[in-house]
Amino acid sequence: DIQMTQSPSSLSASVGDRVTITCRASQGIGNYLAWYQQRPGKVPKLLIYAASTLQSGVPSRFSGSGSETDFTLTISSLQPEDVATYYCQRFNSVPFTFGPGTKVDLK
Amino acid sequence: VQLVQSGAEVKKPGSSVKVSCKASGGTFNIYTFNWARQAPGQGLEWIGSIIPLLDTPSITQKFEGRVTITADKSTTTAYMEMNSLKSEDTATYFCSAGGWSDYWGQGTLVTVSS
């Protein structure tokens, strides 16, 4: 099976900072990657699909890029409501493996 | 699309649990319904999926033989049943639907304890 890794596992940043999270697949997955935000105690929410397409209603400060094995989620200007854990998930073939998550909090 | 899951469950080790996911809105038959779980304080783990129109589930190897995923088109409800429960299966179980898990249920806490 294709494994997914994320880095860093956690980070602290200030309001207004640019935040970058990386997701790596052990084999090429094309652009079959999604990003989710899970706020504490809440249900995961789809942010980005097809590696770079912003889900409707998601603020434009979120963006995604990459293909095949290397992907990035960027928050251009961190806001207090962005405190959450972020997960990538591949969809190229089953099993639709999640990455281990990146926890983002405020400095 | 709205997904409403069944309520919390407390189960004994070795028993079974069946979690339901009732869908409303959208076109039930063509959506991919995914099941994932999240143990307390841990990350998300994908369990399996089903497309009701095809009625052929895919289940990750870790759970093969222990998990059954079904979909009832007449009631627009997807189900995930897990048997031979262990304490390590204590988790919140989520259903999601859509090509990219666009929609999520509220989660069902399953506690396995003697």
Side-chain angles (χ1 to χ4, degrees):
Chain A
D1 289 347
I2 298 172
Q3 303 304 311
M4 306 299 292
T5 57
Q6 286 183 234
S7 61
S9 57
S10 65
L11 66 90
S12 293
S14 300
V15 173
D17 281 354
R18 184 180 184 88
V19 169
T20 299
I21 298 168
T22 297
C23 174
R24 190 154 287 150
S26 60
Q27 298 176 37
I29 60 171
N31 69 339
Y32 289 94
L33 186 100
W35 289 97
Y36 302 90
Q37 175 193 64
Q38 187 178 30
R39 293 182 174 126
K42 301 297 185 182
V43 174
K45 172 187 172 183
L46 177 65
L47 296 177
I48 303 280
Y49 62 93
S52 61
T53 303
L54 194 68
Q55 173 72 339
S56 176
V58 173
S60 59
R61 64 180 178 274
F62 291 93
S63 63
S65 64
S67 66
E68 298 300 344
T69 59
D70 293 290
F71 301 89
T72 300
L73 174 70
T74 300
I75 308 172
S76 61
S77 177
L78 188 70
Q79 300 301 303
E81 60 268 32
D82 301 335
V83 169
T85 299
Y86 294 83
Y87 296 93
C88 60
Q89 184 184 19
R90 69 179 185 90
F91 279 94
N92 63 307
S93 63
V94 292
F96 297 152
T97 316
F98 288 96
T102 296
K103 186 175 182 181
V104 175
D105 60 25
L106 290 178
K107 195 179 292 183
Chain B
V1 176
Q2 287 193 314
L3 303 177
V4 178
Q5 297 184 222
S6 48
E9 303 261 15
V10 179
K11 295 291 183 179
K12 299 285 189 190
S15 66
S16 299
V17 69
K18 191 170 186 177
V19 181
S20 67
C21 174
K22 166 74 175 174
S24 58
T27 307
F28 178 80
N29 284 358
I30 63 171
Y31 279 124
T32 299
F33 284 84
N34 288 288
W35 289 92
R37 74 178 186 181
Q38 188 168 40
Q42 302 301 308
L44 295 164
E45 179 177 29
W46 188 80
I47 298 171
S49 66
I50 191 167
I51 301 173
L53 183 65
L54 302 179
D55 208 23
T56 304
S58 296
I59 298 169
T60 195
Q61 189 173 21
K62 174 179 177 178
F63 296 110
E64 278 180 358
R66 207 158 70 90
V67 166
T68 303
I69 293 174
T70 56
D72 185 337
K73 293 186 276 291
S74 67
T75 61
T76 64
T77 303
Y79 297 92
M80 189 283 303
E81 183 171 21
M82 182 177 288
N83 55 36
S84 302
L85 288 169
K86 313 165 214 177
S87 58
E88 308 91 271
D89 295 318
T90 294
T92 297
Y93 289 76
F94 293 102
C95 69
S96 62
W100 300 94
S101 285
D102 312 49
Y103 312 103
W104 289 70
Q106 82 276 20
T108 297
L109 176 62
V110 175
T111 302
V112 184
S113 173
S114 55

